[in-house]
Amino acid sequence: MMTPLHPLAAVAAGTMLGLAALTAPNTTPTRGLQAVPACTTECLGGHATMPMVGDSVPEDQLHRVSAPGRYGLSQAPDGDSYAVVGGHLVRIDANDGRILSVLRPAPRILD
C-alpha cells in the first residue's frame, strides 16, 4: 500500500518545475527584436586598435552616442559626451574629441 503524497509537497514540486521552465536557457522572447549587425571597420572609423586616453579623435573617425541608455549609461557629465571609437565605448571632451576614458568594448553601434 502506498502512502498518499502530502498536498504541499505537490505544490512545491510544481513550483520547482515552473521555475525551471522560466529560467531555462534560450527562452528569451525574440518577437519584435531586430538583429543589429556587427560594427564593421567603416563604422569604427577605420580604427582597428584600442583607443588611448589623451588621443584626439577626428569627428569622422568616431560615432557620437545619441542614446547613452542603450549602452547602459546615464547622461555624460557637462562638457563630455560618449562615443564609439575603434570598437570601444569612450568618454570624450565634447569640444575637441580628446578621449578622457575608455569604458569598455562596444562591438556594435546601438543608436
Side-chain angles (χ1 to χ4, degrees):
M1 176 177 230
M2 293 186 67
T3 307
L5 186 62
H6 193 279
L8 291 179
V11 170
T15 301
M16 293 304 290
L17 289 173
L19 288 174
L22 287 174
T23 60
N26 299 322
T27 59
T28 305
T30 57
R31 186 174 19 159
L33 298 178
Q34 298 175 6
V36 178
C39 191
T40 62
T41 305
E42 292 80 32
C43 77
L44 296 175
H47 283 249
T49 61
M50 184 170 165
M52 301 296 290
V53 172
D55 288 350
S56 287
V57 182
E59 193 69 32
D60 65 337
Q61 294 183 0
L62 60 81
H63 169 80
R64 286 193 185 257
V65 171
S66 60
R70 291 187 179 181
Y71 296 86
L73 302 168
S74 61
Q75 289 298 320
D78 289 338
D80 298 351
S81 62
Y82 297 114
V84 177
V85 176
H88 289 81
L89 187 60
V90 298
R91 184 173 54 93
I92 61 172
D93 184 293
N95 297 319
D96 63 12
R98 185 173 42 88
I99 296 176
L100 303 173
S101 60
V102 178
L103 303 175
R104 63 178 175 268
R108 287 185 259 157
I109 302 294
L110 302 176
D111 64 341

